[in-house]
Amino acid sequence: MKDTRTEVVEKLIDEKFPSAKAFAEHIDIPYTTLKSILKRGIGNATVDNVLKICKGLGITTDQLERIANGEDIATIAAHHDGDDWTEEELEEIEQFKAFIRSKRNR
């Protein structure tokens, strides 16, 4: 069974990129390395790779922990109050909030 952090990372990759391979290229790590990380769990990856993954997804490692622990995404989004959000980005945030809420019912 995958850990929650890995599930969150996979979900974000699926939402933001056409494929895991495209994401691996975006963050400049070999696809086979990313595939291995997702299979073994994000907690078993090197610190450098975790940082690259989080940066590529637009989150911090602290935010990954919060999301994995079920903290409402609105709290995390509030840390970006000064940013200008596009309609597409706001929709992604809403979709991710729904994803987090759905995990509460499992």
Side-chain angles (χ1 to χ4, degrees):
M1 184 174 171
K2 292 185 182 179
D3 66 272
T4 307
R5 290 175 298 183
T6 304
E7 290 176 354
V8 169
V9 167
E10 288 176 328
K11 177 72 174 166
L12 288 171
I13 291 170
D14 287 345
E15 288 180 357
K16 296 181 176 210
F17 292 87
S19 67
K21 186 173 183 178
F23 177 67
E25 290 172 4
H26 173 73
I27 62 172
D28 196 31
I29 66 170
Y31 171 64
T32 54
T33 300
L34 178 63
K35 191 172 158 182
S36 177
I37 290 168
L38 297 176
K39 182 177 180 181
R40 291 182 299 121
I42 194 92
N44 295 312
T46 65
V47 172
D48 286 343
N49 283 337
V50 173
L51 293 173
K52 283 182 181 182
I53 289 168
C54 287
K55 184 176 180 181
L57 294 172
I59 60 173
T60 65
T61 55
D62 184 52
Q63 289 170 326
L64 176 58
E65 278 298 313
R66 290 182 193 176
I67 296 166
N69 289 325
E71 185 174 320
D72 193 326
I73 191 70
T75 303
I76 294 164
H79 293 286
H80 303 286
D81 283 340
D83 292 346
D84 291 325
W85 297 100
T86 66
E87 289 299 318
E88 293 81 17
E89 290 168 332
L90 291 171
E91 178 59 30
E92 282 185 51
I93 291 169
E94 289 302 318
Q95 290 172 359
F96 195 71
K97 286 170 56 177
F99 165 71
I100 295 297
R101 284 188 199 104
S102 74
K103 293 178 69 60
R104 293 180 190 161
N105 299 329
R106 290 183 184 173

